[in-house]
Amino acid sequence: MDIDELQDKLRNLRVDRNQSRYTVGKAPHKAFLLLSLTILDRHGKVDLDDLRPDIYLKQTWDDLWSVLDYPQPGSITQPLFHMRSDGFWNLQFSRPYTRTSSLKAFQEQLERASLDEGFQDILKDQDARNQVINTLLQEGGYFSPDESQRLRERLEELDDSFVYEERLVDELKKEFQMSWDVDLVAAKSVPMAAKRDPAFRRLVLNAYEETCAVCGMRIATSSGVTVIDAAHILPFNRFHNDDVRNGLSLCKTHHWLFDRGLLSADESYRILVSDDVEQDWPRGVVRSHHRKKLLLPQCPEEHPSELAMRWHSENVFR
Ligand SMILES: [Zn+2]
């Protein structure tokens, strides 16, 4: 397959044409999936020979989808399955496939998903990869000119977020630093936050497998969108520290309590619940975690810094 042939396929992805909830009338699911795969491949975050809908793919998809003002979330399961009719997407199932809109149920049946070798070869060339992106954004009729422009800007920010992520991973080879060596002004600015946040979130949620470190809660939608947050232990606005060891994955309630000092943990990761938590209903929903141990990442290098934990328990906890 050469680039012209591929571009022709990309302009003519088989999609629903009359979905009134989408602005230009052509369902953009497949274009979103291909844009996500293109950017992940560029940064070595996906195996196009054996593709798994992991946190990287789910988050990139969700991130791009949220750039546009669609009234409802889109399911990644839909294009993962239906792209098999476009001539470059191979699916093998471990048993006869039962149609589903649930990503989890799809994954359970999936043996292997892969992109054609010809397509993969094209993505290895930078110019050709840019042509693929341009075709999807501008020529397929999946997006309006304004939407294409917004998506292009977001793709550039995500590109930077993967570069930033590499830097965060490098930091793990060093000892944890309370202070953080960044240009503070740049780090505080909104454009920088758009690049930092996705990187910190990917690393923390991946380390904790999208599970709250306090209560073990794990909630995701059928399309794999998680409600779990990536929280900073040392507050970012003060320490500017995005090291994964300054992160905890927390559900919304525990994140809120943690940021306000009503919840913390000591250096041996024992959870502390403040006496200031007065109402605690259903009975013990917060207090029952007192003195229990935080649920930690599998990988010891990614465990929260004891220094950061101590600082939080001495300075934020009340
Ligand atoms: Zn929780």
Side-chain angles (χ1 to χ4, degrees):
M1 181 160 51
D2 62 20
I3 180 74
D4 293 336
E5 204 182 326
L6 176 60
Q7 282 180 298
D8 196 45
K9 285 183 198 288
L10 297 179
R11 282 183 206 108
N12 298 292
L13 294 170
R14 292 164 57 113
V15 297
D16 293 338
R17 284 184 176 272
N18 295 311
Q19 290 206 347
S20 56
R21 65 177 182 270
Y22 302 115
T23 50
V24 289
K26 248 174 132 180
H29 300 71
K30 290 180 179 176
F32 274 119
L33 177 57
L34 289 167
L35 288 168
S36 302
L37 293 177
T38 305
I39 190 167
L40 290 170
D41 178 56
R42 177 170 179 199
H43 296 281
K45 297 295 181 191
V46 67
D47 180 356
L48 296 175
D49 265 328
D50 188 8
L51 189 136
R52 304 281 148 198
D54 58 7
I55 180 99
Y56 281 86
L57 180 55
K58 286 188 294 180
Q59 196 181 305
T60 307
W61 158 279
D62 195 41
D63 196 303
L64 290 177
W65 188 277
S66 358
V67 170
L68 305 185
D69 307 314
Y70 295 142
Q72 47 184 291
S75 168
I76 193 173
T77 318
Q78 196 180 326
L80 279 171
F81 178 72
H82 289 290
M83 216 152 63
R84 64 184 188 153
S85 61
D86 290 298
F88 51 73
W89 185 243
N90 312 308
L91 289 180
Q92 288 164 28
F93 294 102
S94 53
R95 51 181 190 255
Y97 183 68
T98 309
R99 279 185 76 154
T100 176
S101 59
S102 151
L103 183 62
K104 189 164 171 280
F106 176 81
Q107 271 183 285
E108 281 164 3
Q109 300 180 74
L110 184 68
E111 175 87 34
R112 191 160 167 227
S114 62
L115 203 62
D116 252 13
E117 261 178 49
F119 197 151
Q120 290 192 35
D121 287 341
I122 287 168
L123 290 181
K124 286 180 188 133
D125 178 80
Q126 195 180 324
D127 287 339
R129 188 174 57 225
N130 289 339
Q131 279 177 271
V132 165
I133 293 174
N134 285 338
T135 307
L136 290 166
L137 286 180
Q138 291 173 334
E139 297 171 29
Y142 312 108
F143 308 108
S144 71
D146 171 60
E147 289 175 333
S148 300
Q149 185 53 33
R150 280 150 69 198
L151 285 169
R152 193 180 293 285
E153 284 163 16
R154 188 56 188 156
L155 284 167
E156 280 170 22
E157 286 171 346
L158 285 175
D159 254 335
D160 291 342
S161 86
F162 285 104
V163 175
Y164 184 63
E165 183 179 320
E166 276 169 41
R167 201 185 128 191
L168 296 181
V169 171
D170 276 347
E171 286 298 315
L172 285 175
K173 295 178 196 143
K174 303 180 207 157
E175 219 169 289
F176 182 80
Q177 301 291 324
M178 293 280 281
S179 58
W180 183 251
D181 155 37
V182 285
D183 176 352
L184 301 186
V185 179
K188 274 191 276 189
S189 70
V190 173
M192 186 62 196
K195 302 164 187 177
R196 281 195 309 99
D197 290 347
F200 180 70
R201 186 170 161 77
R202 283 190 295 263
L203 288 178
V204 172
L205 292 183
N206 209 27
Y208 289 80
E209 299 177 27
E210 302 165 72
T211 303
C212 175
V214 172
C215 64
M217 180 188 278
R218 200 182 159 161
I219 299 181
T221 65
S222 65
S223 52
V225 177
T226 178
V227 301
I228 304 298
D229 289 344
H232 287 90
I233 302 171
L234 302 170
F236 184 80
N237 58 12
R238 206 161 146 187
F239 289 89
H240 310 283
N241 187 325
D242 276 331
D243 191 314
V244 71
R245 292 166 295 185
N246 188 36
L248 273 183
S249 104
L250 294 174
C251 68
K252 305 284 181 208
T253 303
H254 290 134
H255 189 180
W256 193 92
L257 292 164
F258 188 82
D259 282 354
R260 283 156 188 79
L262 295 163
L263 181 76
S264 188
D266 65 16
E267 287 165 75
S268 39
Y269 306 130
R270 298 274 162 207
I271 296 165
L272 307 166
V273 178
S274 165
D275 291 337
D276 203 24
V277 175
E278 189 177 87
Q279 296 202 32
D280 186 23
W281 193 263
R283 192 183 302 280
V285 71
V286 181
R287 293 215 62 85
S288 64
H289 300 291
H290 188 62
R291 304 305 297 168
K292 287 193 184 152
K293 215 170 166 199
L294 284 174
L295 300 165
L296 297 174
Q298 294 261 330
C299 172
E301 288 81 52
E302 293 172 331
H303 284 190
S305 149
E306 291 162 21
L307 271 178
M309 218 67 258
R310 190 202 307 159
W311 186 90
H312 188 275
S313 62
E314 289 175 355
N315 295 279
V316 183
F317 186 63
R318 55 195 166 97

